Amino acid sequence: MDSSKFKVIEGNLIIDPVEAGGDFIYAEAIDTRLMGVVGLHILRDRGGAPFHQFFYIDTEEYGLDDYQSFLKMEREDVEKKKTELFGALGGEWKEVTEKEALYMVKQAARINAKYKLPLPEGSGEYRAILESDIALNLVERAVLWNKITLEIRSNYELINYFIMRMVAGDTEGISRLSSSRGDIRYINMSNPGTLLRNEIRKADEDNAKSSDDEPDGIADSDGIAEPILKADLREYTCVSLIDVDKVYQLVESEITVLEGKVIRYHHGEPMTISPWEASLILGLPEFLIYATIEDKSDASVSDSDLAKRFSKVMTSIFSTVTESEYDFGSLFMVFRKNNDHVRKKVYRLDQDTIGVVCHLDSDELVFASNDMVHVEALEKSVLAGAMLDKIKIKVIGRYQFPEPILVRFIDSDFERFSDFLDYLKNFQAD
């Protein structure tokens, strides 16, 4: 590329505004780098109109996973789009510089190239970034890292994030969380993996089973641990359940922590287990509330209008909700507003979700969660919000199952949840 298309401003290499899509105004990113994903929002001025670029970045194996751009968006629509695209990540937005934002995009695209993955549609709008010479030195990379990661507050949180990064093959993440002089033995992974569950025990702790809800410290009124980062040397053992391309493995390890850094990590040989054994380890009950829904504002309202209104109710109640459309209706996943579940002695990947609300075209509603308190809280919030919009919800039944059931309905050919419940009753009777 012709070097005349670049100019230097205060020591920063900036790409030509025409090629970039407009003059740079602002950029922000979510501080969830330790979870392996980051949301990035860049705002430019294109001929006097605001031009918004949204990048969903997977730092492990998908790189630039999604890209969307919009011209002349209202502020309210911008916030809705940020929630729609990144609400599940559970982090906070932090301002980043133009140079940092462009570096993040270019680094992510290298992962696409490494795994021969196509770039998201609209690559012409960010092609100039990929072809630029944007780079960060070691100090600048450290500054960016601190912006897109949260402050670790406990040993358990440090250990869970460290093993998460280890399983993902994230060398930068591992190096940031460990001592430069540490004795770190990497797990030999064929491809980046996912940490499904990690159980931590102190080295001198007995083998009594840990509680999935036991935090590191003193719980406050919300059940979240008081932050305690041990300054002295502490030794722990871990049992990690990982998923590598749908191959499940158990890994036992020893880990030593000192002053907020991992100084030693040794692991045993990964033991492959069956999907059935993995499901037993991950198994949790599912609490369901089954209800019907109808519009009381106008008897002639169509099902599609009701669906749109209910979707609006959901997004007005929950700031971290995503909506997915299926043949039977819509599925809303409500996520936690943060990633505090990483601070627990027993980390579970699925604990980032509060619960699910399923709106069927058959005018049925299903609330689901692996926690009875959460499913009842979902019900209470949705009923209150729906009432304000003259949508009537009538609860028909409450159920508890020893294993997840809603996913079986989603994968089935049933169009009505009531028919699916009848099927389950008949199946159990037989």
Short mmCIF file of all heavy atoms in Angstrom, two decimals, residues 137-165:
data_model
loop_
_atom_site.label_atom_id
_atom_site.label_comp_id
_atom_site.label_asym_id
_atom_site.label_seq_id
_atom_site.Cartn_x
_atom_site.Cartn_y
_atom_site.Cartn_z
N ASN A 137 3.68 -1.47 20.53
CA ASN A 137 4.88 -1.98 21.21
C ASN A 137 4.46 -2.66 22.51
O ASN A 137 3.27 -2.69 22.86
CB ASN A 137 5.90 -0.85 21.45
CG ASN A 137 5.32 0.27 22.30
OD1 ASN A 137 4.56 0.03 23.24
ND2 ASN A 137 5.69 1.52 21.99
N LEU A 138 5.42 -3.19 23.23
CA LEU A 138 5.12 -3.96 24.43
C LEU A 138 4.37 -3.14 25.48
O LEU A 138 3.43 -3.63 26.12
CB LEU A 138 6.41 -4.53 25.03
CG LEU A 138 7.13 -5.59 24.20
CD1 LEU A 138 8.42 -6.01 24.88
CD2 LEU A 138 6.22 -6.81 23.99
N VAL A 139 4.78 -1.90 25.66
CA VAL A 139 4.12 -1.04 26.65
C VAL A 139 2.69 -0.75 26.22
O VAL A 139 1.76 -0.82 27.04
CB VAL A 139 4.91 0.27 26.83
CG1 VAL A 139 4.14 1.22 27.75
CG2 VAL A 139 6.30 -0.01 27.40
N GLU A 140 2.49 -0.44 24.95
CA GLU A 140 1.15 -0.14 24.45
C GLU A 140 0.24 -1.36 24.55
O GLU A 140 -0.95 -1.23 24.86
CB GLU A 140 1.24 0.34 23.00
CG GLU A 140 1.88 1.71 22.85
CD GLU A 140 2.15 2.06 21.41
OE1 GLU A 140 2.45 1.14 20.61
OE2 GLU A 140 2.06 3.27 21.06
N ARG A 141 0.79 -2.54 24.30
CA ARG A 141 -0.01 -3.76 24.41
C ARG A 141 -0.42 -4.01 25.86
O ARG A 141 -1.54 -4.47 26.13
CB ARG A 141 0.77 -4.95 23.86
CG ARG A 141 0.89 -4.94 22.35
CD ARG A 141 1.90 -5.96 21.85
NE ARG A 141 1.54 -7.32 22.25
CZ ARG A 141 2.30 -8.39 22.01
NH1 ARG A 141 3.46 -8.23 21.39
NH2 ARG A 141 1.91 -9.58 22.37
N ALA A 142 0.46 -3.70 26.80
CA ALA A 142 0.13 -3.86 28.21
C ALA A 142 -0.97 -2.89 28.62
O ALA A 142 -1.88 -3.24 29.39
CB ALA A 142 1.37 -3.65 29.06
N VAL A 143 -0.91 -1.67 28.11
CA VAL A 143 -1.94 -0.67 28.41
C VAL A 143 -3.28 -1.13 27.87
O VAL A 143 -4.31 -1.04 28.56
CB VAL A 143 -1.56 0.70 27.81
CG1 VAL A 143 -2.73 1.68 27.92
CG2 VAL A 143 -0.33 1.27 28.51
N LEU A 144 -3.29 -1.63 26.63
CA LEU A 144 -4.53 -2.12 26.05
C LEU A 144 -5.07 -3.31 26.83
O LEU A 144 -6.28 -3.40 27.08
CB LEU A 144 -4.31 -2.52 24.58
CG LEU A 144 -5.50 -3.19 23.88
CD1 LEU A 144 -6.72 -2.27 23.88
CD2 LEU A 144 -5.12 -3.59 22.45
N TRP A 145 -4.18 -4.22 27.24
CA TRP A 145 -4.60 -5.40 28.01
C TRP A 145 -5.33 -4.98 29.28
O TRP A 145 -6.37 -5.53 29.62
CB TRP A 145 -3.40 -6.26 28.35
CG TRP A 145 -3.73 -7.44 29.21
CD1 TRP A 145 -3.70 -7.50 30.57
CD2 TRP A 145 -4.18 -8.73 28.77
NE1 TRP A 145 -4.10 -8.74 31.02
CE2 TRP A 145 -4.39 -9.51 29.93
CE3 TRP A 145 -4.41 -9.29 27.52
CZ2 TRP A 145 -4.83 -10.84 29.85
CZ3 TRP A 145 -4.84 -10.61 27.46
CH2 TRP A 145 -5.05 -11.38 28.61
N ASN A 146 -4.81 -3.98 29.96
CA ASN A 146 -5.44 -3.52 31.20
C ASN A 146 -6.80 -2.89 30.94
O ASN A 146 -7.68 -2.93 31.81
CB ASN A 146 -4.53 -2.52 31.91
CG ASN A 146 -3.29 -3.18 32.50
OD1 ASN A 146 -3.31 -4.36 32.82
ND2 ASN A 146 -2.21 -2.42 32.63
N LYS A 147 -6.99 -2.34 29.77
CA LYS A 147 -8.29 -1.74 29.44
C LYS A 147 -9.34 -2.81 29.15
O LYS A 147 -10.51 -2.65 29.51
CB LYS A 147 -8.15 -0.83 28.22
CG LYS A 147 -7.41 0.47 28.45
CD LYS A 147 -7.37 1.31 27.18
CE LYS A 147 -6.64 2.61 27.38
NZ LYS A 147 -6.62 3.44 26.14
N ILE A 148 -8.96 -3.89 28.48
CA ILE A 148 -9.94 -4.88 28.03
C ILE A 148 -9.99 -6.10 28.95
O ILE A 148 -10.55 -7.14 28.57
CB ILE A 148 -9.68 -5.30 26.57
CG1 ILE A 148 -8.28 -5.89 26.42
CG2 ILE A 148 -9.88 -4.13 25.64
CD1 ILE A 148 -7.99 -6.40 25.00
N THR A 149 -9.42 -5.98 30.14
CA THR A 149 -9.55 -7.03 31.14
C THR A 149 -9.95 -6.40 32.46
O THR A 149 -9.62 -5.25 32.74
CB THR A 149 -8.23 -7.80 31.34
OG1 THR A 149 -7.20 -6.88 31.72
CG2 THR A 149 -7.82 -8.53 30.08
N LEU A 150 -10.68 -7.15 33.25
CA LEU A 150 -11.07 -6.64 34.56
C LEU A 150 -9.99 -6.92 35.59
O LEU A 150 -9.09 -7.73 35.36
CB LEU A 150 -12.41 -7.25 35.00
CG LEU A 150 -12.60 -8.77 34.95
CD1 LEU A 150 -11.84 -9.49 36.04
CD2 LEU A 150 -14.08 -9.11 35.06
N GLU A 151 -10.08 -6.27 36.70
CA GLU A 151 -9.12 -6.48 37.78
C GLU A 151 -9.46 -7.76 38.52
O GLU A 151 -10.58 -7.94 39.01
CB GLU A 151 -9.14 -5.30 38.76
CG GLU A 151 -8.16 -5.44 39.91
CD GLU A 151 -8.25 -4.31 40.90
OE1 GLU A 151 -9.08 -3.39 40.67
OE2 GLU A 151 -7.50 -4.31 41.89
N ILE A 152 -8.51 -8.67 38.60
CA ILE A 152 -8.73 -9.94 39.30
C ILE A 152 -8.68 -9.70 40.80
O ILE A 152 -7.75 -9.07 41.31
CB ILE A 152 -7.69 -10.98 38.86
CG1 ILE A 152 -7.93 -11.35 37.39
CG2 ILE A 152 -7.76 -12.22 39.75
CD1 ILE A 152 -6.97 -12.36 36.84
N ARG A 153 -9.69 -10.23 41.50
CA ARG A 153 -9.87 -9.91 42.91
C ARG A 153 -9.65 -11.08 43.86
O ARG A 153 -9.73 -10.90 45.07
CB ARG A 153 -11.26 -9.32 43.12
CG ARG A 153 -11.52 -8.03 42.36
CD ARG A 153 -12.98 -7.85 42.03
NE ARG A 153 -13.43 -8.88 41.09
CZ ARG A 153 -14.67 -9.01 40.67
NH1 ARG A 153 -15.60 -8.19 41.13
NH2 ARG A 153 -14.99 -9.94 39.80
N SER A 154 -9.46 -12.28 43.36
CA SER A 154 -9.30 -13.42 44.26
C SER A 154 -8.44 -14.49 43.61
O SER A 154 -8.29 -14.53 42.38
CB SER A 154 -10.65 -14.01 44.65
OG SER A 154 -11.20 -14.77 43.58
N ASN A 155 -7.88 -15.38 44.43
CA ASN A 155 -7.10 -16.48 43.90
C ASN A 155 -7.94 -17.41 43.04
O ASN A 155 -7.47 -17.92 42.02
CB ASN A 155 -6.47 -17.26 45.05
CG ASN A 155 -5.23 -16.56 45.62
OD1 ASN A 155 -4.82 -15.53 45.10
ND2 ASN A 155 -4.66 -17.12 46.67
N TYR A 156 -9.17 -17.68 43.47
CA TYR A 156 -10.03 -18.57 42.69
C TYR A 156 -10.29 -17.98 41.30
O TYR A 156 -10.27 -18.68 40.29
CB TYR A 156 -11.37 -18.79 43.40
CG TYR A 156 -11.29 -19.59 44.69
CD1 TYR A 156 -12.34 -19.57 45.60
CD2 TYR A 156 -10.17 -20.34 45.00
CE1 TYR A 156 -12.28 -20.29 46.78
CE2 TYR A 156 -10.10 -21.06 46.17
CZ TYR A 156 -11.15 -21.04 47.06
OH TYR A 156 -11.09 -21.75 48.22
N GLU A 157 -10.52 -16.69 41.25
CA GLU A 157 -10.76 -16.03 39.97
C GLU A 157 -9.52 -16.13 39.08
O GLU A 157 -9.61 -16.42 37.89
CB GLU A 157 -11.13 -14.57 40.22
CG GLU A 157 -11.61 -13.82 38.99
CD GLU A 157 -12.10 -12.42 39.34
OE1 GLU A 157 -11.61 -11.83 40.33
OE2 GLU A 157 -12.98 -11.91 38.62
N LEU A 158 -8.36 -15.89 39.67
CA LEU A 158 -7.10 -16.00 38.93
C LEU A 158 -6.92 -17.41 38.37
O LEU A 158 -6.57 -17.59 37.19
CB LEU A 158 -5.93 -15.64 39.85
CG LEU A 158 -4.52 -15.91 39.31
CD1 LEU A 158 -4.25 -15.04 38.09
CD2 LEU A 158 -3.47 -15.68 40.40
N ILE A 159 -7.15 -18.42 39.21
CA ILE A 159 -6.95 -19.80 38.79
C ILE A 159 -7.91 -20.18 37.67
O ILE A 159 -7.52 -20.80 36.67
CB ILE A 159 -7.11 -20.75 40.00
CG1 ILE A 159 -5.95 -20.55 40.97
CG2 ILE A 159 -7.19 -22.20 39.54
CD1 ILE A 159 -6.14 -21.25 42.29
N ASN A 160 -9.18 -19.83 37.82
CA ASN A 160 -10.16 -20.19 36.80
C ASN A 160 -9.85 -19.52 35.46
O ASN A 160 -9.93 -20.16 34.40
CB ASN A 160 -11.57 -19.81 37.26
CG ASN A 160 -12.11 -20.77 38.30
OD1 ASN A 160 -11.83 -21.96 38.28
ND2 ASN A 160 -12.90 -20.24 39.24
N TYR A 161 -9.48 -18.25 35.50
CA TYR A 161 -9.13 -17.56 34.26
C TYR A 161 -7.85 -18.16 33.65
O TYR A 161 -7.74 -18.31 32.43
CB TYR A 161 -8.94 -16.06 34.49
CG TYR A 161 -10.21 -15.26 34.43
CD1 TYR A 161 -10.58 -14.40 35.46
CD2 TYR A 161 -11.06 -15.34 33.31
CE1 TYR A 161 -11.75 -13.65 35.40
CE2 TYR A 161 -12.23 -14.59 33.25
CZ TYR A 161 -12.56 -13.76 34.28
OH TYR A 161 -13.72 -13.02 34.20
N PHE A 162 -6.89 -18.49 34.50
CA PHE A 162 -5.63 -19.05 34.01
C PHE A 162 -5.87 -20.37 33.28
O PHE A 162 -5.37 -20.58 32.17
CB PHE A 162 -4.65 -19.25 35.16
CG PHE A 162 -3.36 -19.91 34.75
CD1 PHE A 162 -2.32 -19.15 34.23
CD2 PHE A 162 -3.20 -21.28 34.86
CE1 PHE A 162 -1.13 -19.76 33.84
CE2 PHE A 162 -2.02 -21.90 34.47
CZ PHE A 162 -0.98 -21.14 33.96
N ILE A 163 -6.63 -21.26 33.91
CA ILE A 163 -6.89 -22.56 33.27
C ILE A 163 -7.75 -22.38 32.03
O ILE A 163 -7.58 -23.07 31.03
CB ILE A 163 -7.53 -23.52 34.28
CG1 ILE A 163 -6.55 -23.81 35.42
CG2 ILE A 163 -7.97 -24.82 33.60
CD1 ILE A 163 -7.07 -24.75 36.47
N MET A 164 -8.66 -21.42 32.06
CA MET A 164 -9.47 -21.10 30.88
C MET A 164 -8.57 -20.71 29.71
O MET A 164 -8.75 -21.16 28.58
CB MET A 164 -10.42 -19.94 31.23
CG MET A 164 -11.67 -19.84 30.38
SD MET A 164 -12.62 -18.36 30.82
CE MET A 164 -13.00 -18.67 32.54
N ARG A 165 -7.58 -19.85 29.99
CA ARG A 165 -6.65 -19.42 28.95
C ARG A 165 -5.72 -20.55 28.53
O ARG A 165 -5.34 -20.65 27.36
CB ARG A 165 -5.81 -18.23 29.45
CG ARG A 165 -6.57 -16.97 29.81
CD ARG A 165 -7.36 -16.39 28.64
NE ARG A 165 -8.70 -16.89 28.56
CZ ARG A 165 -9.30 -17.30 27.46
NH1 ARG A 165 -8.67 -17.27 26.31
NH2 ARG A 165 -10.53 -17.74 27.48
#
